[in-house]
Amino acid sequence: MQNALTDNRISINELIGAMREQGIFDISEVGYGILEQNGTISFYKADGDFAHSLIVDGVLHRDAIRRTGMVEKVEKIVKKEGAENIMLMTYSDSGKINIIRRDEDGG
């Protein structure tokens, strides 16, 4: 965790402050922390059901696919439908797969 904080120039005090802003007062409650594109940090509680983004805008997120053990399932879906036809595919910790396909017109 220290390397990730250092690489992103976030101090431990900033991390703890961001947790408090979201009502989390004990780091052991955190399951995931995500540095968002706008610079904010989103936290997901350890006991929550987190949705992992496996395909976003037709691009496979290979680390997330491997981490969730969904390699074979994603390969099968991509072979059948084509990644370029999938706007978003998520897999939750509870095992739910959600796929949002692109519209016929490509939008």
Side-chain angles (χ1 to χ4, degrees), residues 13-28:
N13 287 328
E14 290 171 314
L15 180 72
I16 293 168
M19 287 171 41
R20 282 194 306 262
E21 287 175 1
Q22 294 181 42
I24 301 172
F25 298 94
D26 182 348
I27 199 161
S28 68

Side-chain angles (χ1 to χ4, degrees), residues 69-88:
M70 292 292 292
V71 174
E72 290 180 21
K73 182 73 171 176
V74 171
E75 286 175 352
K76 185 176 178 182
I77 290 169
V78 167
K79 185 176 180 179
K80 179 181 176 189
E81 300 193 30
E84 68 279 2
N85 297 317
I86 299 173
M87 191 166 63
L88 179 66

Side-chain angles (χ1 to χ4, degrees), residues 3-58:
N3 289 340
L5 291 173
T6 302
D7 290 348
N8 289 290
R9 297 186 174 130
I10 299 170
S11 73
I12 191 69
N13 287 328
E14 290 171 314
L15 180 72
I16 293 168
M19 287 171 41
R20 282 194 306 262
E21 287 175 1
Q22 294 181 42
I24 301 172
F25 298 94
D26 182 348
I27 199 161
S28 68
E29 294 178 34
V30 176
Y32 298 93
I34 297 176
L35 180 59
E36 304 291 357
Q37 290 181 348
N38 65 3
T40 61
I41 304 171
S42 297
F43 296 100
Y44 297 88
K45 292 196 174 191
D47 60 358
D49 191 21
F50 182 77
H52 305 267
S53 297
L54 304 182
I55 300 175
V56 178
D57 201 21

